[in-house]
Amino acid sequence: MSTQKSCQRAVERKSLSALYSHALPASRSGPLYGAFPYPTKISPEAIALFIATHTKPGDTVFDGFAGSGTTGLAALLCERPTKELRAEAEKLGLNVEWGARNAVLYELGVLGAFVGRTLTNPPDPPAFQNAAEMLLAACEEEDNWMYEARDPEGNTGTIRYVIWSDLLRCSSCGAKVSLYDACVSREPALIGSRFTCPECKHECPLDEAERITTRKRDPVTGKSVRQRARVIARLYGKTGRKAWSRAAVPGDEKLLNRIAVQPLPDAVPDVEIPWGDLYRRGYHQGITHVHHFYTRRNLTIFARMWDKANAYDAPLRDALRFWLLSYNASHATIMTRVVAKRGQKDLVLTSAQPGVLYISGLPVEKNLFDGLRRKLKTITSAFSVIHGRKGKVEIHQKSSCAVALPDESIDYVFTDPPFGANIPYAEISFLNEAWLGRYTERDDEIIVSGAQNKSVATYRQLLTDALTEARRILKTNGKATLVFHSASAEVWNALQSAYSNAGFGVERAGVLDKTQGSFKQVTTAGAVRGDPLLLLGKHSVAESEHTACVWAIAQGLMQEALALEPSEQTAQRLYSRLVGHFLAHGRQVPLDADDFYRWHDMQQRGKVSKVAGA
Ligand SMILES: C[S@@+](CC[C@H](N)C(=O)[O-])C[C@H]1O[C@@H](n2cnc3c(N)ncnc32)[C@H](O)[C@@H]1O
């Protein structure tokens, strides 16, 4: 090998070490990240560092689990990297040649593919901003009366948001009591888990208090439906620049009655929910259709905006729909919440809990005009970052278990497959897909799901099919970076056998540090902090099996060492034993100490989080 070539190899190795040996920060901020909420998405800037290191300008990247299209955004970012992206690459010492890359993305979900397509191929940002502002102004002029409310001084103000409350019955005196009155206190803010009857002072755990339901005629289906009874608990408004809050007054009820006789717009979806893993008998009581996730006020306003967006031609129409949907499930529905934070005088407003379809006993109704106005700024900035870039991003709304690309046509793969049973994407996306009028076909969805009758074995098989396709289309020396996250050894093992059976072997391991954990990562029992990253190379299936054997042997040695002194259980000692094992069997030592230490570290973290979650 010439000196020049070997120098080049050394630079590449150093660059890869820099990328995989530090926990790489993946921030959760910036317009591209903030434009659309999609579960478990990764920052495009972080992915761009991987693409830039593993590929050259003009190369093509593949992601078979594209979600909201972040890998496509990352490929486009390589063309004209922001100052921050350049600085990060320099800080890490990455060997990078900036320039346009192309991407081919497969995503099963209708919503994910729609989001990815709109973001990677946005319309002219000023034209979009203008259309959105006109739409907002027209709707506000017609419908802002629905958010009018008297302030505590009797002046007309505007609702910022309303906290609703479930109604409960006191088992002692039979009084109808709102959950808010029974469990919430302010200054300092607290949501208690015990019910205290304001009438007779009877106390019991909240779970034991009966939730009152009412039967009413559903204005969309025309059928009778029994649902949880709710009342306004507290209303937050503004008059001019002054913010205020107060308890409900009779005028609030009058306004609701006026809204209730408004005709429902054509756009309101009359769609039954195909409930799956996320259905809960308690808080989903009586929620059978998409419109049950909305208050009548927000359903009417959202649908009128949707109708107006439909009057535009593509691509502006899709960009306007993107803007509306970016706010829809997380903020426009009654999944929006308030939480009590330590040291706060009042409850703090937040969005829907990600990754579930949870409706709290204190659902919140937000002012859609205020929220959409804020969102418009973020989305216009995101469109401006991407608009006019030359790289080509193709998004196929299809299963990656069968990819229509020739063998060895892709330079690099970056992907994060669904994490076992963590998130049923199609079920979560349904609320947004109902507005688009198209739904994800779930047969090929690669998840572990009781409702879909998919075991870990089914998950492993589907994942093997998808990774086999990824390997087939990857060039001989091409690499795949796979981000994964699971607290379950069974799911990790399914992943490991999927990539080994597909003919991939692990060349390096690292960690992607999403600086703020997503809700599920922080709260799921046994959750792992940071997403492990694997750099996979194309091995022959036999080689991959061999690599799999290495880990099995290492596991065995670790197990044996548990019966010995602590000094025998250190990573260093275990590595020595592993080396001894291979030499004793007349085999070559298959992995470096560093790789073993990283694997050992991952095992230890898995154990610690298991104990923590036990
Ligand atoms: C972890 S998410 C990817 C998130 C993505 N990286 C992002 O930034 O938005 C996994 C995605 O795989 C998709 N998926 C599940 N099964 C699939 C299949 N057979 N083919 C293609 N996509 C699939 C899910 O719909 C989900 O969007």
Side-chain angles (χ1 to χ4, degrees):
M1 195 192 300
S2 74
T3 326
Q4 204 190 358
K5 262 199 179 150
S6 69
C7 281
Q8 177 64 21
R9 287 265 161 85
V11 170
E12 280 167 10
R13 267 204 307 274
K14 205 168 148 221
S15 190
L16 286 184
S17 293
L19 200 55
Y20 290 88
S21 56
H22 305 281
L24 197 88
S27 96
R28 290 169 174 248
S29 56
L32 290 179
Y33 189 86
F36 203 102
Y38 194 83
T40 69
K41 74 179 169 185
I42 303 176
S43 123
E45 286 82 4
I47 303 179
L49 292 173
F50 285 88
I51 295 181
T53 307
H54 282 289
T55 62
K56 296 274 168 275
D59 281 358
T60 301
V61 183
F62 176 77
D63 183 351
F65 300 103
S68 53
T70 324
T71 302
L73 292 174
L76 295 174
L77 282 181
C78 291
E79 183 184 339
R80 274 182 278 117
T82 56
K83 255 194 349 237
E84 294 75 25
L85 192 55
R86 265 181 206 279
E88 189 63 36
E90 271 163 31
K91 197 172 91 191
L92 288 167
L94 303 181
N95 175 36
V96 162
E97 194 184 326
W98 297 109
R101 270 78 169 168
N102 305 310
V104 180
L105 311 182
Y106 269 55
E107 165 56 41
L108 188 72
V110 167
L111 179 70
F114 170 78
V115 171
R117 276 189 195 124
T118 314
L119 258 182
T120 54
N121 190 16
D124 174 53
F128 161 72
Q129 190 178 4
N130 190 33
E133 278 170 358
M134 275 168 53
L135 195 155
L136 199 52
C139 289
E140 268 187 300
E141 196 177 321
E142 285 169 24
D143 293 337
N144 202 41
W145 63 268
M146 295 196 214
Y147 290 127
E148 275 178 5
R150 294 260 173 225
D151 68 15
E153 272 90 53
N155 301 313
T156 303
T158 306
I159 293 172
R160 290 182 293 134
Y161 61 95
V162 177
I163 303 181
W164 288 79
S165 171
D166 282 3
L167 265 186
L168 311 171
R169 191 180 320 277
C170 173
S171 62
S172 175
C173 70
K176 279 187 185 175
V177 178
S178 81
L179 186 149
Y180 187 92
D181 289 339
C183 302
V184 175
S185 46
R186 300 167 68 224
E187 304 196 18
L190 189 75
I191 304 177
S193 55
R194 289 188 70 76
F195 168 94
T196 308
C197 177
E199 304 288 328
C200 71
K201 308 298 172 217
H202 169 71
E203 267 198 43
C204 67
L206 176 58
D207 294 349
E208 287 175 15
E210 181 202 340
R211 307 262 165 167
I212 297 177
T213 55
T214 56
R215 182 168 280 288
K216 53 187 176 199
R217 190 184 153 276
D218 186 317
V220 176
T221 63
K223 293 190 183 134
S224 153
V225 57
R226 179 173 285 286
Q227 288 179 327
R228 287 195 166 182
R230 296 197 176 102
V231 290
I232 291 182
R234 199 157 183 90
L235 194 144
Y236 293 74
K238 60 182 178 217
T239 308
R241 297 170 77 94
K242 195 174 160 214
W244 47 265
S245 78
R246 59 160 172 76
V249 296
D252 300 332
E253 184 74 28
K254 266 198 207 149
L255 178 66
L256 295 178
N257 291 339
R258 219 180 123 200
I259 294 168
V261 295
Q262 289 291 307
L264 279 171
D266 293 345
V268 170
D270 177 2
V271 180
E272 197 169 339
I273 302 168
W275 279 111
D277 301 292
L278 296 178
Y279 180 76
R280 298 290 176 274
R281 264 200 343 205
Y283 53 78
H284 288 139
Q285 186 176 15
I287 306 261
T288 56
H289 287 67
V290 166
H291 62 278
H292 295 156
F293 273 93
Y294 299 80
T295 60
R296 177 73 186 246
R297 171 166 35 211
N298 276 359
L299 180 68
T300 308
I301 294 177
F302 192 84
R304 288 195 188 176
M305 294 186 89
W306 192 264
D307 270 339
K308 285 203 165 51
N310 282 346
Y312 285 80
D313 289 333
L316 271 185
R317 185 198 57 212
D318 285 343
L320 292 169
R321 288 171 158 189
F322 174 97
W323 167 53
L324 296 175
L325 291 184
S326 74
Y327 199 70
N328 178 36
S330 317
H331 301 275
T333 63
I334 53 170
M335 293 191 290
T336 309
R337 299 160 300 145
V338 272
V339 290
K341 286 199 174 161
R342 196 190 287 267
Q344 296 289 326
K345 286 188 173 172
D346 203 352
L347 300 178
V348 176
L349 184 62
T350 181
S351 58
Q353 191 170 305
V356 284
L357 294 171
Y358 171 64
I359 300 173
S360 91
L362 298 170
V364 171
E365 180 185 34
K366 286 186 180 172
N367 180 318
L368 299 187
F369 298 136
D370 286 353
L372 282 163
R373 191 172 291 108
R374 275 194 302 274
K375 204 75 213 199
L376 180 55
K377 284 196 193 131
T378 313
I379 292 176
T380 309
S381 308
F383 286 177
S384 306
V385 174
I386 294 301
H387 186 67
R389 291 187 182 246
K390 291 195 197 66
K392 214 172 112 207
V393 178
E394 272 177 34
I395 299 187
H396 301 269
Q397 195 233 306
K398 280 190 183 144
S399 167
S400 55
C401 295
V403 176
L405 285 175
D407 294 359
E408 307 200 351
S409 54
I410 290 290
D411 298 284
Y412 172 60
V413 171
F414 185 100
T415 197
D416 64 316
F419 313 147
N422 268 23
I423 297 184
Y425 290 87
E427 193 175 356
I428 291 210
S429 299
F430 192 82
L431 276 188
N432 278 332
E433 292 180 354
W435 291 90
L436 291 170
R438 290 181 292 120
Y439 304 94
T440 302
E441 178 48 67
R442 299 186 189 182
D443 287 356
D444 260 5
E445 189 175 31
I446 305 184
I447 54 167
V448 178
S449 160
Q452 290 187 37
N453 211 6
K454 286 180 183 154
S455 62
V456 175
T458 317
Y459 169 77
R460 186 185 55 222
Q461 188 51 55
L462 287 168
L463 196 54
T464 307
D465 293 348
L467 292 177
T468 303
E469 281 294 79
R471 185 186 184 280
R472 177 185 65 76
I473 60 175
L474 192 59
K475 290 184 179 164
T476 313
N477 293 318
K479 305 288 172 209
T481 302
L482 199 140
V483 184
F484 201 73
H485 179 98
S486 178
S488 148
E490 202 186 9
V491 171
W492 274 111
N493 291 338
L495 173 78
Q496 197 226 27
S497 54
Y499 65 66
S500 303
N501 293 339
F504 279 117
V506 178
E507 299 193 347
R508 284 172 187 270
V511 169
L512 190 70
D513 182 11
K514 295 179 172 169
T515 38
Q516 278 170 41
S518 70
F519 187 86
K520 276 214 163 177
Q521 271 167 254
V522 177
T523 57
T524 306
V528 181
R529 281 311 290 253
D531 289 358
L533 277 165
L534 299 173
L535 177 65
L536 305 177
K538 284 177 87 161
H539 291 197
S540 69
V541 175
E543 261 182 293
S544 304
E545 273 166 6
H546 173 67
T547 315
C549 283
V550 175
W551 299 127
I553 292 163
Q555 290 270 18
L557 291 172
M558 246 175 117
Q559 204 59 37
E560 278 170 32
L562 288 178
L564 306 173
E565 293 131 47
S567 61
E568 291 296 324
Q569 297 171 18
T570 63
Q572 287 77 2
R573 184 60 55 88
L574 286 166
Y575 184 67
S576 305
R577 284 179 171 275
L578 190 72
V579 170
H581 175 96
F582 281 96
L583 296 181
H585 288 81
R587 287 168 62 183
Q588 291 193 328
V589 178
L591 80 170
D592 293 334
D594 272 350
D595 291 331
F596 177 76
Y597 295 155
R598 274 195 285 274
W599 174 85
H600 182 263
D601 192 27
M602 270 162 66
Q603 302 290 310
Q604 292 300 95
R605 272 187 278 154
K607 258 202 253 162
V608 170
S609 49
K610 258 195 180 166
V611 171

